[in-house]
Amino acid sequence: MALKRLKIRIGDLLVQHKVISEAQLTVALKDQKKSGRKLGRVLIDNGYIAEQALLEFLARQLDVPYVDLKHFSFNPEVIHRLPEIQARRHRTLVLEEVDGGVLVGMADPTDIFAYDEIVRQLRCPVQVAVVSEIELLQNFDAIYRRTEEISSLAEELREELSDRDIDLEDLAESDDIAGAPVVKLIRTLFEDALQIHASDIHIEPDETVLRIRQRVDGVLQEQVMDEKRIASALVVRLKLMAGLDISEKRLPQDGRFSLKIREQSLDVRLSTMPVLHGESVVMRLLDQSAGLISMDQIGMSDEERQRYQTAIERPHGMVLVTGPTGSGKTTTLYAALSHLNRPETKLITVENPVEYRLPRVNQVQVNPEIDLTFARVLRAVLRQDPDVVLVGEMRDEETVEIGLRAAMTGHMVLSTLHTNDAVGTVSRLLDMGAKGYLTASSLNAVVAQRLVRRICQSCVQPYQATEHETAWLEQMLDGQLEGKQLLHGKGCTHCNHTGYSGRRGVFEILEINPALQKALRNDDTESFARLAAEQMAGCTLAHNAAALALVGETTLEEAMGLMGTLDESEAELPKTGVATELPSMPMAESGN
């Protein structure tokens, strides 16, 4: 590609072809001068032209291809011909080998200096393609994984440890021996986890290897290393960071620390546990810089969000969010807190542990070791004149009774409970010793939820359901399948060949209306279950998951898996509701 063809004035061309006006170009040039951004980005951000239209226009003018990275299958060997630092600096990716050279995708193919540097770095003929800068940045983290760097640092640390005898407790005071390689390795682990949006990091020593696993979208991804000896050094350093006792290896320990990675503030909850071949470490990653999810982002439909919002905005009462561990309950409650967080409202939380720090909210962390329990803190909280109280979990009879009485005496109480579905929540409260009349007077609503994985949009394709799957779907949706096309992900580089990218919530909401209150006051659990099933007919977790599969949000496999195994989902389910007990999802994640 001749360099002179890159020397074009994109603004003038856009005006010449009447894509934008002269006045818009003048404003954009002024904005560019102030901000230092590329002219194309300014035009897009100002709304003068859509990014897709600009890219296609640029490709036509330069007579080069436009490549949609969402649906491009990357070859890791080809991509890594250009180092990550160069790729990020020049906003470019090596896409494929062509005609003795390479095809390189550039966000700005008019950047002559970037083009020259890429040619010099690759030392071969270079052909240029236009790609979206946003898609490029999204793909960098997925493509340039840290797995090789982690293995290299692990090998370096193993060599350091084998060169001499080391007292691992010396790592508490010195970085001169093996501390530096350990710190580099840990930092790289966190960088890799952030790149792929992992929620947890597991460090597991085995008999001959060390396994490092990261949970992405609820599923673990594994990297195995032969350097088992470095496990002890890793654990010691992490314990130091969390302020734990490095000499105690026989008992489990819990800690917490914060760090900053790539301008992102990360809170890490760390748990250690003695296992057969050392100590296992699990770290839950909480990205404090990402901000809390709002009510509009938790995945509820407009109707569900309105019902949830109405329930939490009442002046008093209790709203429970239920589901197994790792189903996103805390996220849903924090969205409610953010919605209610106003200067005129006093909010107090009682948690174990405090996951996200909120402005204007008084947050208390329980500590059973000093008898600072949920019940004890909750009694003190009620003397602090709160309007809204969030209790991390209803764990025992005492906490349940105090919470229900607080809801009845003028406070809004938000909490979680580990139950399978909304109807079963009330039975669980009664089993925990709650009085029927107290529950009827205090409980406003129950929100049951699960998480399902979204289909990766880079490799999405049609899916033909089996006879069994079709029968289940027809049963859930009462024969609404005609003309509908199911989808699934084939698996690609963008989603680490899983076919999924990201997750969303699935919900069911039970509102305690007068008829349900009457059944509770009379301790008539049969009538309560029947009335509740009638209220939620067609909008249970199972129905809503099936509906998401039908519109291509998730796969049929995920929707059926949400209800348990496929064999369990074959059980008879009435079309007008569901049984009061639904099979639970496997509790694979830590936290709420």
Side-chain angles (χ1 to χ4, degrees), residues 428-492:
R428 176 72 183 278
L429 286 175
L430 298 177
D431 289 342
M432 292 175 72
K435 304 295 189 294
Y437 72 88
L438 192 58
T439 304
S441 302
S442 304
L443 191 61
N444 292 347
V446 179
V447 179
Q449 71 177 79
R450 298 288 194 280
L451 294 177
V452 292
R453 291 181 290 174
R454 294 178 184 266
I455 298 173
C456 174
Q457 294 304 304
S458 297
C459 59
V460 61
Q461 63 181 28
Y463 173 72
Q464 183 61 48
T466 65
E467 184 178 343
H468 165 68
E469 290 171 335
T470 302
W472 181 83
L473 199 54
E474 286 180 342
Q475 184 181 22
M476 287 295 102
L477 301 177
D478 198 20
Q480 301 174 27
L481 300 184
E482 189 174 346
K484 301 291 186 179
Q485 175 66 68
L486 295 172
L487 302 172
H488 77 149
K490 184 178 70 171
C492 64

Side-chain angles (χ1 to χ4, degrees), residues 322-341:
T322 74
T325 303
S327 59
K329 300 186 297 295
T330 300
T331 300
T332 301
L333 283 181
Y334 268 85
L337 275 187
S338 297
H339 178 76
L340 298 171
N341 191 359

Side-chain angles (χ1 to χ4, degrees), residues 380-400:
V381 162
L382 297 179
R383 295 192 291 270
Q384 292 280 312
D385 188 29
D387 296 299
V388 180
V389 179
L390 185 150
V391 184
E393 184 183 347
M394 292 291 173
R395 295 192 175 186
D396 52 56
E397 180 179 349
E398 188 178 12
T399 306
V400 168

Side-chain angles (χ1 to χ4, degrees), residues 16-44:
Q16 180 183 336
H17 287 79
K18 299 182 179 180
V19 179
I20 63 172
S21 67
E22 187 74 47
Q24 289 175 328
L25 176 60
T26 301
V27 173
L29 288 171
K30 288 181 181 178
D31 290 347
Q32 181 194 25
K33 190 173 182 180
K34 290 178 184 177
S35 64
R37 293 173 295 165
K38 299 281 188 182
L39 179 60
R41 178 49 51 190
V42 174
L43 291 170
I44 294 168

